[in-house]
Amino acid sequence: MGRGTLTPQEEELKKVISNNIRTKIKEESISQAEFARRAGIPPTTLSGYIKGVTRPNAGNLQKISDTLGLLKSDIDPSYKQGYSLEDWNNNKKQSHLVKKITEISSQLEESRQKIVLDTASSQLEEQEEQKSKIVSIKNEQEKFDLADLVDDNKVDWDKWVSFDGRPLTDEVKEAMKKALGKELEDK
């Protein structure tokens, strides 16, 4: 009797389990064959788990976890208490980088976790500042008549920035003034 079609959650879970096993074995610096021997699992069975073809049954998951000195839930998140489809959906939305940051920072001492949090907070503030600069410049641009843009007395060109948020160079400022002046002449 076949097992039927797996749900997207089950397919994704196989990938997560596969990645967790592969990563943990790599951290142990031993071959898959040696790990399979230590865990008491046939190498071909372990290979299926690592390739994400099959999902470990509860017995083999326990053997893998015991060999690595981990909980089953460290390998298979569905063993976490209260694990749900909603958790899976939220976890799936996280980028690979966010998952990696979370994984690494969870292993740090609390004082070091605070440094990671402070750095992330600082980066977010900086990002929001850059976004607000662009919005305020857009708002300032809407206030000007085209003729005002070529008049240095009416425009503070030092507040203008390029698309990447960097201040405009003097050459770019002059080029913009010339282009705007040409636009006015053509009208």
Side-chain angles (χ1 to χ4, degrees):
M1 176 165 93
R3 294 184 182 189
T5 306
L6 297 177
T7 65
Q9 179 184 6
E10 291 168 325
E11 287 292 343
E12 186 69 24
L13 198 51
K14 280 196 313 187
K15 291 177 189 174
V16 169
I17 293 166
S18 163
N19 186 53
N20 287 343
I21 293 172
R22 185 181 320 102
T23 301
K24 300 300 181 186
I25 290 174
K26 194 179 237 182
E27 289 172 4
E28 294 289 315
S29 300
I30 59 172
S31 69
Q32 288 182 22
E34 175 61 21
F35 182 80
R37 187 190 64 70
R38 289 183 189 177
I41 298 172
T44 54
T45 301
L46 180 65
S47 178
Y49 301 153
I50 291 172
K51 289 180 181 176
V53 176
T54 55
R55 184 175 164 195
N57 61 34
N60 282 347
L61 182 61
Q62 189 64 59
K63 289 178 183 179
I64 292 169
S65 301
D66 289 346
T67 304
L68 292 168
L70 301 169
L71 299 171
K72 287 193 286 190
S73 59
D74 293 331
I75 303 291
D76 183 340
S78 69
Y79 280 84
K80 290 181 180 162
Q81 189 171 358
Y83 183 81
S84 68
L85 180 59
E86 184 179 327
D87 294 334
W88 176 76
N89 284 330
N90 290 338
N91 189 40
K92 190 173 178 187
K93 291 176 189 173
Q94 287 185 342
S95 73
H96 170 73
L97 286 175
V98 171
K99 289 177 186 175
K100 193 70 177 167
I101 290 166
T102 303
E103 178 186 321
I104 291 171
S105 62
S106 68
Q107 298 173 42
L108 296 172
E109 296 169 352
E110 189 172 344
S111 61
R112 293 178 184 269
Q113 288 175 343
K114 184 167 178 4
I115 294 169
V116 172
L117 176 61
D118 291 345
T119 303
S121 297
S122 170
Q123 288 295 309
L124 180 59
E125 282 177 28
E126 202 174 293
Q127 177 179 296
E128 294 303 317
E129 238 178 69
Q130 291 297 323
K131 284 181 183 176
S132 69
K133 281 182 184 177
I134 292 169
V135 169
S136 73
I137 287 170
K138 284 181 182 175
N139 292 342
E140 279 188 37
Q141 285 175 331
E142 291 168 6
K143 296 176 191 173
F144 291 116
D145 182 9
L146 194 54
D148 291 340
L149 291 175
V150 293
D151 185 351
D152 286 333
N153 295 325
K154 294 184 179 182
V155 177
D156 184 359
W157 284 94
D158 293 330
K159 289 185 180 176
W160 288 52
V161 294
S162 61
F163 288 110
D164 62 4
R166 291 189 218 154
L168 300 178
T169 64
D170 290 337
E171 294 82 25
V172 171
K173 291 175 193 174
E174 289 305 314
M176 288 181 68
K177 289 178 199 176
K178 285 180 184 174
L180 291 167
K182 175 83 172 106
E183 182 75 21
L184 282 173
E185 288 175 12
D186 292 345
K187 284 192 171 189

